[in-house]
C-alpha cells in the first residue's frame, strides 16, 4: 500500500469521537479511516490522568498495528492529559483536539474572555487554558465541567427542556464572566450547539474542536504529501474503507453512532486492546 493510501487512525473513549470523524469525512473525503471506540472502559472524563494515559497508550499501540499514517486523538479528555506522553512514546504524526480548538478560540475572541466547557478531567487538566495562554497570555479563561451533557446527548435529549435547564445552570458562571467565545471541549457537545447557543446568546461564538481538528489534519497531511487525491471533492474510484473497532459489544455503538456520524455505521468489530 502506498504511503498516502494508508488509513488514518482515530480513537475515542466511545462514540463521541464520531463527531470528529464526521468532520474528517467532510474535509478529507478520500481518506480511509480506522476508528477505535474504547466502549468497555468509558467514560474517560471522570477518570484520573494516570488511567487515561494508560488507556491512550494501549489504544495507540492497537491502531499502530494496523499500519496507520496519522493518529487523531478525538477524545478531549485523552488529548488533554495524554498527548505529551504519546508524542514522546510514538513517532507517527499525532493530532489532538485541544490545540486546534485553542487556536480558533484565541482568534475568535474580541473581548479577551474565553469560556471552556468539558469533562471534569479535561477542565481539571487546564489543557485548553494552557494552550490558549501559550498563544496569547492576555486572554482570560473560565473553565466549567458539564458532566451531565454526555449522558444527555447519548440519551438523544438534544432539544429537551431538561437539557436547556441543565445547560442554563452549568453555563450561568460563563455568562456572568461575560465570555464572548466558548470552546465546546468535549466530543459530545457539538450535538448540543443549538441549546448552548440559546443559553449563551447569539453574540457568543461557539468553537467546535471537532471541525477545527479536521482542518488541522488536512494541513498536516498536505504538508507531508500524504493526502489521498480526490476529484474536486468527489472521490474517484472506490469509496474509502471505514472500519470501526470497539472494546465492548458493538450493538449500542451501531445504534447510537449513526446519530453522531450522520450516516449508517457498518463493519464494527469487537477487539481487545489491553
Ligand atoms: N470523549 C470524551 C471527551 O471528549 C467524553 C466522554 C467520556 O467521558 O469518555 O472528553
Amino acid at each position: 500500500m502506498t504511503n498516502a493510501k494508508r488509513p488514518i487512525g482515530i480513537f475515542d473513549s466511545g462514540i463521541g469521537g464520531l463527531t470528529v470523524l464526521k468532520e474528517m469525512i467532510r474535509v478529507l473525503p478520500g481518506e480511509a479511516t480506522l476508528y477505535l471506540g474504547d466502549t468497555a472502559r468509558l467514560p474517560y472524563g471522570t477518570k484520573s490522568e494516570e488511567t487515561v494515559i494508560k488507556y491512550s497508550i494501549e489504544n495507540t499501540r492497537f491502531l499502530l498495528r494496523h499500519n496507520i499514517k496519522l493518529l487523531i486523538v478525538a477524545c478531549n479528555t485523552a488529548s488533554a492529559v495524554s498527548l505529551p506522553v504519546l508524542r514522546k512514546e510514538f513517532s507517527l504524526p499525532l493530532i489532538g483536539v485541544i490545540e486546534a480548538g485553542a487556536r480558533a478560540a484565541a482568534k475568535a475572541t474580541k473581548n479577551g474572555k474565553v469560556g471552556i466547557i468539558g469533562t471534569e478531567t479535561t477542565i481539571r487538566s487546564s489543557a485548553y487554558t494552557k494552550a490558549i495562554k501559550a498563544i496569547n497570555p492576555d486572554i482570560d479563561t473560565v473553565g466549567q465541567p458539564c458532566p451531565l451533557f454526555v449522558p444527555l446527548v447519548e440519551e438523544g435529549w438534544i432539544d429537551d427542556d431538561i437539557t436547556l435547564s441543565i445547560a442554563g445552570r452549568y453555563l450561568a458562571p460563563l455568562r456572568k464572566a461575560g465570555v464572548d467565545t466558548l470552546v465546546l471541549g468535549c466530543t459530545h457537545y457539538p450535538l448540543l450547539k443549538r441549546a448552548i447557543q440559546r443559553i449563551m446568546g447569539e453574540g457568543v461564538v461557539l468553537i467546535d474542536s471537532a471541525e477545527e481538528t479536521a482542518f488541522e489534519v488536512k494541513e498536516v497531511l498536505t504538508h507531508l504529501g500524504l493526502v489521498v487525491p480526490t476529484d474536486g471533492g468527489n472521490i474517484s474510484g472506490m469509496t474509502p474503507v471505514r472500519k470501526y473497532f470497539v472494546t465492548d459489544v458493538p450493538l449500542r455503538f451501531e445504534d447510537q453512532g449513526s446519530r453522531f456520524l450522520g450516516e449508517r455505521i457498518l463493519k464494527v468489530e469487537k477487539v481487545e486492546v489491553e
Side-chain angles (χ1 to χ4, degrees), residues 24 27-28 213-223 227:
M24 266 282 311
V27 175
L28 288 162
T213 300
F215 293 135
E216 188 182 341
V217 172
K218 186 172 183 181
E219 248 178 66
V220 171
L221 286 182
T222 307
H223 180 72
V227 177

Side-chain angles (χ1 to χ4, degrees), residues 12-14 16-17 42-46 74-78 119 122 150 154 185-188:
D12 178 51
S13 55
L42 63 79
Y44 282 11
T46 49
C75 178
N76 283 257
T77 309
T119 65
T122 297
V150 167
E154 293 197 2
C186 174
T187 47
H188 290 57

Side-chain angles (χ1 to χ4, degrees), residues 112-128:
K113 289 182 189 157
V114 173
I116 300 144
I117 52 176
T119 65
E120 290 162 70
T121 304
T122 297
I123 298 303
R124 201 175 47 235
S125 76
S126 300
Y128 272 107

